[in-house]
């Protein structure tokens, strides 16, 4: 017996958990998860002394210091010093730009890892289960509970009539979770403020109504 030969109840719970995770990811958004993962990564990397982050922070601090000194002096009175500071400022700006590009590339790598992780834990199990457990009867219905056409539909596409197949179970779970996700999002959305009548608009509308009535009488 293979470790992949799970009990029907285990398959039911496993598929429900995976689909729940998939809906949670969809509700939060992959971009939000990537940004949160990047924030955690930068926080940990900074604490562990990541060379790029450490160097970038130092360069930015130095740039602020040079810019403050450059603005504090007059270019006419201290032209030589101002020119030197200006060159230093331009050099630091270029170095910071190069480091920022390297950090952006590292962020893209973190994003790929997050997307791959989401695929491995939410998408791949679904496709694998559709193939591996396509003929498994997840549960049987007592005879005569449903009409034969209903029993035939619940067994689609590969299980025997009278049982529940994985495809129908996934469809049912997805439908319920989609409805729950919609209700939760609707409950958490901020209330829309009631539009207020602009001052003077009511008078204008009243005047238009009066003019219309007078025209009709004429």
């Amino acid at each position: 017996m293979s470790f992949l030969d799970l009990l029907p109840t285990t398959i039911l719970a496993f598929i429900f958990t995976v689909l729940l995770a998939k809906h949670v990811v969809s509700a939060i958004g992959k971009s939000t998860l990537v940004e949160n993962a990047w924030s955690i990564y930068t926080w940990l990397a900074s604490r562990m002394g990541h060379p790029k982050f450490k160097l970038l922070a130092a360069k930015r601090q130095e740039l602020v210091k040079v810019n403050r000194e450059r603005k504090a002096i007059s270019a006419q009175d201290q032209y030589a010093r101002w020119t030197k500071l200006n060159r230093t400022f331009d050099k630091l700006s270029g170095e910071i730009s190069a480091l920022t590009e390297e950090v952006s590339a590292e962020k893209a790598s973190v994003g790929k890892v997050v997307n791959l992780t989401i695929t491995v834990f939410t998408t791949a199990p679904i496709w694998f289960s559709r193939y591996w457990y396509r003929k498994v009867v997840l549960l049987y219905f007592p005879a005569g509970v449903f009409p034969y056409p209903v029993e035939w539909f619940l067994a689609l596409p590969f299980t025997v009539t009278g049982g529940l197949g994985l495809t129908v179970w996934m469809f049912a779970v997805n439908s319920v979770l989609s409805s729950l996700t919609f209700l939760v999002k609707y409950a958490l959305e901020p209330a829309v403020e009631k539009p207020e009548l602009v001052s003077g608009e009511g008078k204008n509308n009243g005047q238009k109504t009066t003019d219309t009535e007078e025209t009709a009488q004429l």
Side-chain angles (χ1 to χ4, degrees):
M1 182 177 178
S2 173
F3 72 96
L4 295 175
D5 295 332
L6 304 177
L7 295 174
T9 52
T10 305
I11 298 174
L12 287 170
F14 172 70
I15 294 300
F16 177 82
T17 304
V18 173
L19 290 176
L20 177 61
K22 188 174 183 179
H23 279 270
V24 170
V25 170
S26 178
I28 297 175
K30 287 186 178 181
S31 58
T32 303
L33 292 175
V34 170
E35 290 297 330
N36 291 336
W38 175 247
S39 299
I40 295 173
Y41 176 80
T42 53
W43 181 77
L44 291 175
S46 300
R47 283 183 169 270
M48 296 175 65
H50 192 290
K52 288 182 182 178
F53 294 154
K54 189 175 181 180
L55 181 60
L56 181 60
K59 293 291 183 181
R60 284 174 173 171
Q61 290 179 358
E62 188 177 356
L63 182 69
V64 172
K65 181 180 178 182
V66 170
N67 189 42
R68 189 182 297 115
E69 293 180 2
R70 187 182 62 166
K71 290 182 177 180
I73 63 176
S74 174
Q76 296 179 351
D77 298 338
Q78 302 181 25
Y79 180 76
R81 184 184 176 191
W82 184 88
T83 303
K84 183 179 179 181
L85 290 173
N86 196 47
R87 290 175 180 173
T88 304
F89 181 86
D90 293 339
K91 180 182 178 182
L92 288 172
S93 298
E95 293 175 351
I96 290 174
S97 179
L99 286 171
T100 302
E101 290 181 1
E102 294 180 7
V103 171
S104 298
E106 197 163 341
K107 182 179 180 180
S109 299
V110 172
K112 290 180 180 179
V113 172
V114 173
N115 289 326
L116 179 61
T117 303
I118 292 173
T119 301
V120 168
F121 285 98
T122 62
T123 303
I126 297 299
W127 288 103
F128 173 79
S129 299
R130 282 177 175 173
Y131 169 76
W132 192 262
Y133 304 115
R134 66 188 184 279
K135 296 182 180 180
V136 176
V137 179
L138 300 179
L139 56 89
Y140 286 96
F141 299 102
V145 173
F146 299 111
Y148 178 79
V150 176
E151 292 183 349
W152 176 83
F153 173 78
L154 294 175
L156 290 175
F158 300 110
T159 53
V160 296
T161 303
L164 176 66
L166 182 62
T167 300
V168 176
W169 170 248
M170 291 174 61
F171 173 78
V173 172
N174 270 322
S175 299
V176 172
L177 291 178
S178 296
S179 300
L180 290 176
T181 302
F182 173 78
L183 292 175
V184 171
K185 282 186 174 181
Y186 180 79
L188 295 178
E189 284 183 355
V192 179
E193 296 183 1
K194 183 179 180 180
E196 297 181 358
L197 186 64
V198 180
S199 178
E201 185 175 346
K203 295 181 179 180
N204 293 333
N205 290 337
Q207 183 65 33
K208 290 181 180 179
T209 303
T210 304
D211 294 342
T212 303
E213 292 176 353
E214 292 178 354
T215 303
Q217 291 176 359
L218 293 176

